[in-house]
Amino acid sequence: MKIVLIIAWLFSFPLNGHAQKIDTMKNGTEETAIRTALEQYYFKGIFEGNTALLREVFFKDALLFGDIKGVPYYKTAEQYIEGVGSRLSPEKAKAPFHPEIISIDVINSIAAVKLNVKMYDFNYYNFITFHKINGKWLIVNKTLTDVE
């Protein structure tokens, strides 16, 4: 009898009582804002070699990790942005540049984004974390790998 009462007591609590409610309508708007940040600042900045655009979308203390052609990769956002500014841009080189947004997942003020960026002879997969800071979506972390 005690077991029956305990089970009945447990079922009296809602299963999602403490779960975070995700507002899909708001997330659609936030996803659009993240797409805009990716297309107008991140992708355009990489393609043009435009460091000002990249500084608009990266949090100043963001970190980048990964591997390129099997070699470990680590940079601060500033090191990465300076590197993009000092190389020949795909735009100026008239090189192929094909960025693709694979997925965007938004919960509250954070978002995880998966990208595929093909440029020069690289086939990058990126996992980018955004955080909404002072009303603006900023990249706070980027991990990447180059796939043959």
Side-chain angles (χ1 to χ4, degrees):
M1 184 68 173
K2 282 183 179 180
I3 293 175
V4 172
L5 288 175
I6 292 172
I7 292 172
W9 180 75
L10 286 173
F11 279 113
S12 70
F13 292 100
L15 294 176
N16 64 350
H18 298 288
Q20 179 67 41
K21 186 175 181 181
I22 299 170
D23 185 345
T24 55
M25 182 73 88
K26 182 179 176 188
N27 283 349
T29 303
E30 301 298 6
E31 183 178 323
T32 299
I34 292 165
R35 279 185 187 280
T36 299
L38 286 166
E39 293 166 356
Q40 298 301 312
Y41 295 96
Y42 182 69
F43 292 150
K44 191 173 181 182
I46 293 169
F47 178 67
E48 297 174 358
N50 187 327
T51 58
L53 289 177
L54 292 172
R55 283 189 179 91
E56 284 291 319
V57 76
F58 273 92
F59 179 68
K60 65 180 180 60
D61 295 324
L63 297 174
L64 294 81
F65 297 93
D67 61 82
I68 299 174
K69 305 231 181 270
V71 178
Y73 180 93
Y74 164 79
K75 292 192 185 228
T76 65
E78 190 55 33
Q79 290 169 325
Y80 169 74
I81 292 167
E82 287 174 8
V84 169
S86 66
R87 65 156 165 73
L88 182 62
S89 73
E91 178 184 45
K92 289 181 182 164
K94 304 223 184 295
F97 181 77
H98 303 287
E100 176 190 3
I101 299 169
I102 297 170
S103 65
I104 300 175
D105 293 315
V106 181
I107 300 176
N108 296 329
S109 65
I110 60 166
V113 177
K114 182 178 179 182
L115 307 172
N116 179 226
V117 180
K118 295 176 183 173
M119 58 184 267
Y120 295 113
D121 63 340
F122 296 99
N123 182 23
Y124 292 117
Y125 279 87
N126 298 275
F127 295 95
I128 294 181
T129 305
F130 277 86
H131 186 76
K132 193 171 188 180
I133 301 171
N134 297 323
K136 185 176 179 182
W137 286 102
L138 296 174
I139 295 170
V140 295
N141 178 263
K142 173 181 168 178
T143 55
L144 64 139
T145 191
D146 176 43
V147 177
E148 295 284 330

